[in-house]
Amino acid sequence: MTEDNKKTQLRDTAEWLVETAVKMGASTAEAHMNHSRDFELEVRGSEIENLSEAESHGASITVSRDGKRASVQSSDTERNHLRTLIEKAMYLCEYTDKDDSFSLPPVDRLAREPQDLDLFDQRLAVLSVDDKFRLAQRAEKQMMAHNNRIISNGSSFSDTISTSAMASSQGFSASIQATIAGMGVSGFANDDVVDGDLNTGRKQSGGWSQQTRFFDMFDSPESLGERAAIDILRLLGAKKPHTGKYPVYFEPATARTLWRHLLSAMTGSHIYRDESFLAGKVGEQVTSDNVTIIDDPLIPRALASHPYDDEGVACARRDLIDAGVLNTYLLSTYSANKLGLQTTGHAGGTGNILIKPGDQSEDQLIKSIDKGVWITGLSGQGVNVATGDYSRGAEGLWIEKGQVCYPIMEFTINSNLKTMFQHIAAVASEPELGWSVVTPGLLIDEMSVSGV
Amino acid sequence: MNLDRFRLTPSRIERVLQAAMSRGGDYADLFCEYSRFEGLGLEEGILKSAVSNIECGAGVRVVIGEKSGYAYTELLEESHLLSAAKTAAAIAQDHGSQHSFSVGAHAIGNYYPVPNPMIDESMDEKIQFVYLADRSARAHSTAIKQVSVYMGTAQRLILMADSRGRLVEDVQPMLRFTVSVVVEKNGERQNAMAGDGGRLGADFLTSSRVEMLAKKAVDEALVLLEAKPAPAGMWPVILAPGDSGILLHEAIGHPLEADFNRKQSSAYSNRLGQMVADSQCTIVDDGTVASDRGAINVDDELNESQRTVLIEEGRLRSYMCDEMSARFFDIESTGNGRRESYRFQPMPRMRTTYMLPGKYSADEIIKSTSKGLYCKTFRGGQVNISNGNFTFVPSEAYWIEDGKMTYPVKNCTLIGNGPDALSKVSMVGSDFAISAGIWTCGKEGQSAPVGVGLPTIKISEMTVGGSSG
């Protein structure tokens, strides 16, 4: 079946699901249909180690009757089966309670004519297995060539061609096709073990990967291999840093995790439950004034682009934080109703998040640090969006007198997100592209570092 | 056997395996799964969500040495199964065999007989417990701001056949019940969660059990309201029985999964037979703990479940193997080959990982500590299997002064190094507990239900990530 036919077919089924639910007595119904073709190839030692292919299906429908809601999902999209599924949903919503805040989105907010955001790459759809193999092979080869201490953990190439459709009882229906591909490579090296170290088998591992919607947007496999090699080698010989309070630099890959915590704290479901340190803070200064954040879901070809959200609401570019001032929460129709506000088209998450770069380069920021820590990796679940408490395991580089001195590991960094965002001394000038959060690195004045 | 559920017959299975092995390979397997899930969520005093989900599909895998080919389909007609088999076969290179692969039913034990699966109980029966948890939490303290209750029930039917001629079926029930609360006092707010479950039936949920869980969540949140920041630096750490098994799961469990050791990327690669922990430590990974969340009758590649001793009196005895790794090391599989669903290939995963009890009483252990941290419950953990560094995050913890527990502490992460931390286990308690069944382990994008357990133990020195001092 051609991809265009698939689009029509899924949209028809989504519309049929809604019609059938309404016939069965649903007062509202929203249906989603998905189909994807997934491919993954892994290479180790220049040979294909794993080949996986699949075609997967999904149907989901949420119904309500008298303000009582229920949802059902299935991988079987055959219509007789779907009919029994809707019956099940109608049965379940006899038991849920009436929820006065539930409604479908305001009709005038629906994406009646969704923008075409150019999310489908024909070239990716026809790329041969052999081509994908060569790409993964090249990335691995370059990583290995960089230094003879590096041992490969394998490289990979994966892609997904997906079609999704949505329909609702307000008459909304639409479908989208998109491609997404990923390429990555990782490895490790045996670490230097000093006398008395109980961890005699210690290695340091690392890697680099990239995701894009269009084949021609990939960096070269060689540059991925190069970055992976640097990532592995920079932690060799790492030791524990001394406990104390220091300035902390987050490179783009770790800065991204901080922005994710901020976005999570802005999410409507956390706000209306009063489980966020940003509840009640719209219009207030919540970060230092060198922070400006834009959400743009409408960038053609970009990773997190989508013309409408999970409820069919048209998406728009928004300033989320402007010079440190919180402009908006991230709301679905439900959380907006809870808070007496309007949906912001964020049912299902944000679009492409753009962090405004600062004036100083990463190098300049590092040079400004007398004694401090550069974070390359974080681990653990010690983040509490309700209280802002922040405590995570980390690894990185020790900085002294503006220079990177040696790698460090097995330490933690502690603070509170409220304090951390208010004390961003600087955002660096070079954003790392190719992720759904496009951010430069950033420097925080002071955090507690626990080591020896 | 439920062959009909997957439109299978012995001869159809034989044809699929034959197509899978048509270009050669060491072995091939067919994995069929029919899973049902149901989730009920209460929030703000009302039952807000009821979700029902069905997943059904079949995957065919061909393995040759360390290489594998895999394809799955959700369409169960023979043509789709044969096409999946051919796709998987692409990994192999030769002409293959014309050998026939007849399969025969293979019987297995049952560590979780459940006559009344919770998922099949009436809605009236299920929702009463959800409301009860909400009422109990609210009645327990006036500081309550929010209560969320979740009940997840599942039933997973798997049917597997392989080119070794085996045909195995298993039914895996699951129940998970959690209560989360937010409390507020003098403008300060804290949250906590308590849960329980496992491969259990409707008999497990009782009013008293639900009330106890609700109170446990509230009590923990109230303790946190009084908590102070933890001191930073290296301190002795005492771990309470049960939940603290998270330490083993991270510090030693993941790095002993055989795929990492086959590829030599683990801190424990090539260390079999060596001392890697204090001699008081005997650690096992066990798929046979009755009704536990980590129990399996058979793994997801037709190998029977077992109790595997990983570390015996400090000495490394065994990795956790899937079939591919077992063949690589030329040993029998330890039955650790698991997968999230038919959408994934199996890999070595833990089941229920615990340390056997030692000789000290919990009281002796606490009294022996002049200053240190006592950790009671945990939020989770994470490990880097290559350098061995792991973090784990306590939710309820107390500061110890002069052999006594003093004030509760909050916002701290513990960080250690596997081989280092286990060599510094200075006392192992005689008490022992398996944690309540709520843990889910994530690895390379696949999640799996697991169990953990531990007696009270003392680690002489570990980095406590706090912010005071």
Side-chain angles (χ1 to χ4, degrees), chain B residues 106-283:
Chain B
H106 182 80
I108 50 172
N110 193 354
Y111 303 108
Y112 32 84
V114 171
N116 315 307
M118 195 67 199
I119 195 167
D120 294 329
E121 292 293 301
S122 73
M123 278 293 281
D124 286 315
E125 183 72 18
K126 288 180 215 172
I127 62 178
Q128 59 162 331
F129 292 114
V130 175
Y131 288 118
L132 175 63
D134 181 57
R135 282 199 310 274
S136 312
R138 289 178 192 277
H140 192 54
S141 167
T142 52
I144 288 281
K145 290 285 289 180
Q146 294 276 1
V147 181
S148 310
V149 185
Y150 182 80
M151 177 159 85
T153 53
Q155 187 95 331
R156 182 191 198 221
L157 163 68
I158 55 173
L159 190 147
M160 303 174 280
D162 70 11
S163 57
R164 293 179 291 186
R166 300 186 201 181
L167 176 64
V168 179
E169 172 181 285
D170 192 28
V171 178
Q172 304 174 332
M174 190 60 84
L175 169 63
R176 189 174 190 271
F177 192 96
T178 59
V179 186
S180 308
V181 300
V182 179
V183 296
E184 188 181 69
K185 209 162 102 184
N186 306 326
E188 210 205 323
R189 194 169 283 254
Q190 283 296 341
N191 48 6
M193 191 267 268
D196 206 348
R199 298 204 185 279
L200 294 150
D203 313 339
F204 178 72
L205 274 193
T206 59
S207 300
S208 61
R209 196 181 293 272
V210 167
E211 285 166 10
M212 202 188 69
L213 277 179
K215 283 180 190 164
K216 189 174 167 216
V218 179
D219 286 339
E220 185 173 307
L222 293 173
V223 164
L224 286 173
L225 279 178
E226 311 300 323
K228 301 180 193 174
M234 303 270 278
W235 299 102
V237 170
I238 296 174
L239 302 173
D243 257 19
S244 314
I246 286 284
L247 168 94
L248 301 179
H249 180 96
E250 303 300 348
I252 193 107
H254 280 298
L256 293 186
E257 288 166 342
D259 46 350
F260 300 129
N261 291 287
R262 168 166 68 74
K263 295 178 187 172
Q264 309 257 319
S265 63
S266 162
Y268 293 91
S269 300
N270 303 318
R271 296 199 65 188
L272 280 176
Q274 295 179 18
M275 287 298 284
V276 296
D278 186 86
S279 62
Q280 295 176 78
C281 300
T282 293
I283 300 168

Side-chain angles (χ1 to χ4, degrees), chain A residues 38 44 47-58 69-76 81 85 88 91-92 95-100 151-153 188 190 198-205 235 240 243 245 272-275 334 338 378-384 386-387 389-395 409-412 414-416 448-452, chain B residues 38 43-56 66-75 87 90-91 123-124 127 131 145-146 148 182 189-191 231-234 262-269 271 274 342-343 345 379-382 384 386-389 391 393 410-417 419-420 423-424 463-467:
Chain A
D38 305 305
R44 193 161 61 105
E47 284 184 40
I48 295 184
E49 188 173 49
N50 176 41
L51 259 180
S52 307
E53 263 186 83
E55 191 173 341
S56 72
H57 305 78
R69 264 188 305 173
S71 308
V72 288
Q73 300 161 8
S74 178
S75 60
D76 184 347
H81 172 75
L85 218 60
K88 171 85 186 219
Y91 166 77
L92 287 174
Y95 289 91
T96 48
D97 291 313
K98 185 170 190 308
D99 189 342
D100 295 326
I151 303 163
S152 175
N153 223 338
F188 58 94
N190 287 306
L198 297 166
N199 186 5
T200 55
R202 193 170 89 190
K203 284 120 190 134
Q204 296 295 351
S205 58
L235 278 184
K240 280 170 90 105
T243 301
K245 294 189 194 288
Y272 82 72
R273 293 184 184 124
D274 214 352
E275 287 180 14
Y334 185 81
K338 276 276 172 199
L378 290 162
S379 68
Q381 297 82 347
V383 182
N384 187 332
T387 60
D389 282 343
Y390 185 94
S391 173
R392 299 198 74 189
E395 51 193 29
M409 62 172 200
E410 211 191 324
F411 63 100
T412 67
N414 272 57
S415 184
N416 185 288
S448 292
V449 171
S450 243
V452 285
Chain B
E38 190 177 279
E43 198 187 278
E44 300 181 304
I46 60 172
L47 187 65
K48 271 195 192 176
S49 67
V51 179
S52 166
N53 186 0
I54 294 172
E55 284 184 0
C56 182
E66 291 183 88
K67 297 177 181 177
S68 64
Y70 190 69
Y72 71 80
T73 176
E74 284 150 348
L75 307 170
T87 304
I91 195 73
M123 278 293 281
D124 286 315
I127 62 178
Y131 288 118
K145 290 285 289 180
Q146 294 276 1
S148 310
V182 179
R189 194 169 283 254
Q190 283 296 341
N191 48 6
M234 303 270 278
R262 168 166 68 74
K263 295 178 187 172
Q264 309 257 319
S265 63
S266 162
Y268 293 91
S269 300
R271 296 199 65 188
Q274 295 179 18
Y342 62 85
R343 297 196 171 95
Q345 296 192 56
R379 230 183 275 165
Q382 197 178 335
N384 175 324
S386 293
N387 59 28
N389 293 337
T391 50
V393 184
K410 63 179 175 186
N411 194 25
C412 69
T413 285
L414 302 183
I415 190 157
N417 185 276
D420 184 71
S423 300
K424 289 178 178 163
T463 296
V464 175
S467 50

